[in-house]
Amino acid sequence: MAKEPQTPSQEDESDHSTLETEIHDPVETLEHESEADDNAEADMLAAKVEELEESLQEAKDQQLRAAAEAQNVRRRAEQDVEKARKFALERFVKELLPVIDSLEKALEAMEDGASETHREGVSMTLKMQQDVLSKFGVETVDPEGEPFDPQYHEALTMVPSPDVEPNTVIEVMQKGYLLNGRLVRPAMVVVSQAAN
């Protein structure tokens, strides 16, 4: 088929639209590339921001944990120091208890043949010892007539007793002592049991 000859006005339109397409295409292409670059860059920046926010949150968490741990360590140290202060006398108290026991036994033994002066002297010495110990937080455990408590009493023997309820302390052989609420020495006791 033979080509139809084109009129000059058709040629101009054809050339003009081709030129227009050529002119617009690079601009559009550049705009699309620019938008794609902007989107990629925005995505990259958003990812970086998210990563930095996560790092910041982790750093805050670590800082909070470190502060909490430091506070716990400080509190434990204060408790240890307080316990050391409270119970520093424990060994000393344990060494004094036999002296008090001896004074109590001496006072019991003096009832028969000792003069009133001797009895009064030993009694005053015993009271002074007990006052000094109580001043430093030492309490006496004298559980006669109370229910047996294995945390504070040590049973030497059990004796059948119809008059007293079972597991009641009926005699204290040696008093017990507490230092600031902590047991230094249990009371040595005789405990009742049900009569057969």
Side-chain angles (χ1 to χ4, degrees):
M1 289 190 145
K3 262 190 176 182
E4 288 183 24
Q6 291 185 350
T7 60
S9 66
Q10 284 180 340
E11 278 179 27
D12 284 345
E13 275 181 30
S14 171
D15 287 343
H16 184 64
S17 68
T18 306
L19 277 176
E20 212 172 270
T21 306
E22 287 175 4
I23 291 172
H24 288 300
D25 279 350
V27 170
E28 253 179 59
T29 305
L30 283 175
E31 284 178 3
H32 287 301
E33 285 178 6
S34 175
E35 281 181 28
D37 286 346
D38 285 349
N39 286 342
E41 191 174 328
D43 290 345
M44 188 174 75
L45 287 174
K48 187 70 172 173
V49 167
E50 189 176 323
E51 183 182 319
L52 289 173
E53 285 176 347
E54 287 176 8
S55 296
L56 178 64
Q57 188 60 42
E58 285 177 20
K60 283 181 181 178
D61 289 346
Q62 287 176 352
Q63 188 269 336
L64 283 174
R65 280 192 210 106
E69 182 62 28
Q71 186 178 4
N72 288 341
V73 167
R74 191 177 316 115
R75 192 172 349 108
R76 274 187 238 120
E78 287 170 0
Q79 288 173 348
D80 289 346
V81 167
E82 183 61 28
K83 282 182 184 176
R85 265 192 222 126
K86 250 182 160 180
F87 303 111
L89 296 175
E90 188 170 356
R91 260 178 94 192
F92 182 68
V93 168
K94 281 183 179 180
E95 294 297 322
L96 282 180
L97 294 181
V99 175
I100 291 177
D101 292 339
S102 296
L103 288 171
E104 288 174 344
K105 295 291 182 200
L107 198 56
E108 286 174 19
M110 286 183 164
E111 289 180 14
D112 294 336
S115 70
E116 185 62 35
T117 309
H118 284 108
R119 206 174 299 120
E120 191 176 322
V122 172
S123 178
M124 287 177 65
T125 305
L126 176 61
K127 183 169 178 1
M128 285 173 57
Q129 281 276 350
Q130 290 170 334
D131 289 346
V132 168
L133 288 178
S134 67
K135 182 178 177 181
F136 289 97
V138 178
E139 303 168 51
T140 305
V141 177
D142 191 2
E144 190 166 338
E146 297 176 9
F148 177 73
D149 183 352
Q151 291 183 347
Y152 297 105
H153 313 147
E154 188 174 316
L156 298 176
T157 185
M158 293 187 81
V159 176
S161 179
D163 303 334
V164 183
E165 282 190 39
N167 290 328
T168 301
V169 175
I170 54 175
E171 186 180 353
V172 177
M173 305 299 282
Q174 185 180 57
K175 293 178 185 173
Y177 291 90
L178 302 170
L179 174 61
N180 294 313
R182 183 159 80 180
L183 187 68
V184 174
R185 182 179 82 184
M188 306 293 187
V189 298
V190 176
V191 182
S192 66
Q193 71 181 45
N196 293 338

